[in-house]
Amino acid sequence: MRIVHTLRLALPLLAAPLGSLLAAADSSYLSHGEDEGFKCAGIYGSPGEHTGRRSVIEIEIPPVPPSDIALAIFDYPDIDWIGIPVKNGAKVSDAEAKRLGPYISSGGRAGDGDVQRFVICDNETITMDLCSDADMGRPLLNDRDDNGQPRSFRSVIYSDYLMLNRSGIGYTQLEYKSRVLDGNSTDKSDEAWRDQARTSVVDGATLDWSSDGTLKVRYYVNTTGFYCVDAASIGDFTARVDWIDVHGLLPASEHPKMHIYLALTIAYITIAVAWAFMSWR
């Protein structure tokens, strides 16, 4: 009986480190509402040439309610380049954009005095030549520097406009651009692909459409960092986000502690066995 009592006392000690090792991946839910569509978490990267498990940010969006969602996925250091700040009808300099700081919101624009930061491609921003018709609905990226040269981001930024349960099971603006506008479809009037379960690869991400209209967006992470998902919609929507890195389902914040947990587990087992033996004697 003393041994059983001893093991009962030791089990809570063993459960602490083992429970941490069995922790689930970082997960969050996105929804319509202030600050409810913006979530971030750390994740270890897996280089593009990596042949084993890949680090991925997976977003699952159900088809109900039908939603049109502007979605951006990026490494947090690149947040200054989400949206384009404009003053007196012209894009402001990079130095001025840095001074304004990041814009974190699910709205369409933000003001700072006589400076506005436009974050969604719409009719107004198309008229201002900040984007084109092919980018309608997508989050705007400040992807050109003061000299008009392409900007180098820390990681690939995924910027897309998702149209769920529309024209079939749904499609995204990047899919439409790839299949129709870029001439990859032989018949531009053919919209049958929108009503088919399919997998599309666009801008560092994979889009998996199921037959019921559920969309899974998988963004592959090549560089370790603190990655954010920003989703905005004028209507209600829900989505689940999982940050799954190359080490599996263990959250990135827990991985550096694995050696500590292992040492503690061995120490607890040793103490428990010694305690049980001494009690038996």
Side-chain angles (χ1 to χ4, degrees):
M1 294 297 294
R2 286 185 297 173
I3 295 178
V4 173
H5 178 67
T6 300
L7 291 175
R8 283 178 178 174
L9 293 175
L11 283 175
L13 297 177
L14 293 172
L18 290 176
S20 297
L21 289 174
L22 297 176
D26 278 316
S27 300
S28 293
Y29 285 91
L30 306 175
S31 62
H32 176 67
E34 187 176 359
D35 298 329
E36 294 301 316
F38 185 84
K39 305 293 181 182
C40 301
I43 185 170
Y44 285 95
S46 57
E49 65 274 9
H50 187 75
T51 56
R53 186 197 301 268
R54 295 289 305 276
S55 296
V56 64
I57 298 173
E58 184 174 286
I59 306 169
E60 182 172 347
I61 311 171
V64 179
S67 306
D68 293 347
I69 303 170
L71 177 67
I73 308 174
F74 55 92
D75 196 357
Y76 189 82
D78 291 326
I79 196 170
D80 287 326
W81 313 122
I82 305 296
I84 300 177
V86 174
K87 181 177 182 180
N88 298 326
K91 191 177 83 167
V92 304
S93 66
D94 288 352
E96 180 72 1
K98 280 286 190 181
R99 185 192 68 79
L100 291 172
Y103 172 55
I104 305 174
S105 174
S106 58
R109 54 185 57 80
D112 179 28
D114 55 354
V115 178
Q116 281 190 313
R117 187 189 295 267
F118 294 87
V119 295
I120 298 293
C121 180
D122 55 18
N123 290 327
E124 182 179 3
T125 53
I126 291 174
T127 302
M128 300 169 64
D129 289 329
L130 298 180
C131 58
S132 67
D133 290 338
D135 298 315
M136 177 67 78
R138 296 176 60 195
L140 288 173
L141 303 181
N142 192 353
D143 56 3
R144 298 277 175 174
D145 62 22
D146 290 342
N147 297 318
Q149 298 301 311
R151 192 184 305 281
S152 295
F153 298 119
R154 177 176 165 85
S155 296
V156 174
I157 298 179
Y158 175 75
S159 167
D160 205 353
Y161 185 52
L162 320 177
M163 290 160 275
L164 282 83
N165 210 353
R166 226 172 104 177
S167 297
I169 60 176
Y171 65 102
T172 80
Q173 193 69 14
L174 284 180
E175 274 189 302
Y176 181 77
K177 182 179 179 181
S178 173
R179 288 176 177 266
V180 179
L181 300 183
D182 291 348
N184 294 327
S185 176
T186 56
D187 183 3
K188 293 189 178 183
S189 64
D190 179 17
E191 297 183 357
W193 59 272
R194 300 181 182 182
D195 201 22
Q196 299 171 353
R198 63 188 183 276
T199 297
S200 302
V201 179
V202 291
D203 283 12
T206 300
L207 310 176
D208 287 330
W209 292 90
S210 66
S211 57
D212 67 354
T214 299
L215 172 62
K216 283 188 178 180
V217 180
R218 293 184 175 90
Y219 172 89
Y220 296 99
V221 179
N222 296 328
T223 306
T224 300
F226 191 67
Y227 284 79
C228 300
V229 177
D230 194 3
S233 175
I234 60 174
D236 292 333
F237 75 95
T238 57
R240 177 189 169 98
V241 186
D242 292 302
W243 286 259
I244 306 171
D245 69 27
V246 67
H247 302 296
L249 295 178
L250 191 68
S253 58
E254 294 296 321
H255 185 263
K257 308 173 188 175
M258 287 185 65
H259 296 298
I260 298 176
Y261 292 149
L262 177 61
L264 288 174
T265 300
I266 294 173
Y268 289 158
I269 292 175
T270 302
I271 293 171
V273 171
W275 192 359
F277 177 75
M278 293 176 66
S279 298
W280 177 75
R281 288 186 60 191

